[in-house]
Amino acid sequence: MISIDAKGLDESQSYKLISAAVTPRPIAWTATLVRDGGVNIAPFSSFTFISYSPPKVLISVGPGTDVLKDTLINVTDRREFTISSVTPEFLRPMVDSSHAFAPEISEAARLDIAMAPSAQIETPFVSGAQVAMECRLDRIVEVGDDHAHRLIIGTVVCFHVADELWRGDRIDAAAYASLGRIGGPLYVTRGEIVRAQISPSILNSTSEEELN
């Protein structure tokens, strides 16, 4: 096995290694409103949920040393955003929306991405997305890195789930075909889902240890 001292890497090497090591990553196709009412939309793959009571999500946005990302500016101003899932039919517009358009350009309008109205906030989400979340800003945290990344933490106030995915109290994992990011131009589609649970022998031995 090769061992690589991170201190000896330049930023390009470091990015290639960490982005390839942490895969696949879910994609937060994030919509925000600009001050004139236009819809900014951009994908972020440094994204996860961090709690469920209440439900909170986290997006890493950057770099921000010279010019702040439009998403960060808009979230700071409006204090809300939406996240739409990305399934194969949205791959092309999602990738195109990652282009650095001028701040006054609405990616939704420029790329003909239809938007649907939210239920509890003003920012819309992508029409036809299998899953979408309406979020209110909880806080923005500075990472403290050389490129001034910020963590946007949002509280989910409303979920939208396609009828064909909903199974009464949960999303059908087999039917939900969200894409994942690998790095550069590479993405991954949903493959085989495997089931694994803790071995009965482990559970039984743990119970015996607790009794003793």
Side-chain angles (χ1 to χ4, degrees):
M1 175 176 284
I2 297 173
S3 297
I4 302 169
D5 187 344
K7 294 193 296 294
L9 300 174
D10 62 31
E11 61 184 54
S12 176
Q13 294 169 324
S14 182
Y15 172 76
K16 289 176 181 177
L17 271 174
I18 197 166
S19 64
V22 184
T23 60
R25 300 186 300 278
I27 301 166
W29 205 9
T30 306
T32 56
L33 287 179
V34 298
R35 290 176 181 175
D36 66 1
V39 179
N40 173 275
I41 185 165
F44 298 93
S45 61
S46 294
F47 158 61
T48 190
F49 82 91
I50 57 173
S51 70
Y52 49 86
S53 182
K56 294 181 186 288
V57 292
L58 178 151
I59 307 169
S60 176
V61 177
T65 49
D66 298 320
V67 178
L68 294 179
K69 293 279 189 179
D70 294 338
T71 297
L72 184 62
I73 293 172
N74 298 336
V75 169
T76 301
D77 186 42
R78 295 276 188 161
R79 305 192 67 78
E80 63 176 45
F81 57 96
T82 65
I83 293 173
S84 298
S85 65
V86 180
T87 42
E89 68 271 24
F90 287 116
L91 175 61
R92 174 48 52 198
M94 181 275 294
V95 172
D96 288 346
S97 71
S98 67
H99 178 72
F101 289 98
E104 66 272 13
I105 299 295
S106 166
E107 287 86 353
R110 174 69 174 77
L111 301 173
D112 274 336
I113 301 170
M115 306 299 291
S118 288
Q120 297 190 33
I121 63 176
E122 293 183 24
T123 308
F125 59 92
V126 175
S127 178
Q130 287 193 335
V131 176
M133 295 176 282
E134 301 178 22
C135 305
R136 296 192 193 279
L137 178 64
D138 177 273
R139 70 195 69 183
I140 295 174
V141 180
E142 294 185 2
V143 175
D145 64 312
D146 293 340
H147 293 277
H149 283 76
R150 275 84 159 182
L151 305 179
I152 296 176
I153 299 175
T155 302
V156 181
V157 296
C158 187
F159 293 90
H160 301 273
V161 181
D163 292 338
E164 63 269 22
L165 296 185
W166 190 239
R167 296 295 178 264
D169 64 346
R170 67 194 64 198
I171 291 171
D172 185 336
Y176 183 28
S178 58
L179 295 178
R181 178 87 189 280
I182 295 179
L186 303 180
Y187 297 83
V188 62
T189 57
R190 178 66 63 85
E192 179 186 2
I193 294 177
V194 298
R195 179 185 293 271
Q197 295 176 297
I198 298 173
S199 302
S201 59
I202 298 297
L203 291 175
N204 292 339
S205 64
T206 301
S207 296
E208 291 174 1
E209 290 170 0
E210 290 174 348
L211 288 175
N212 295 330

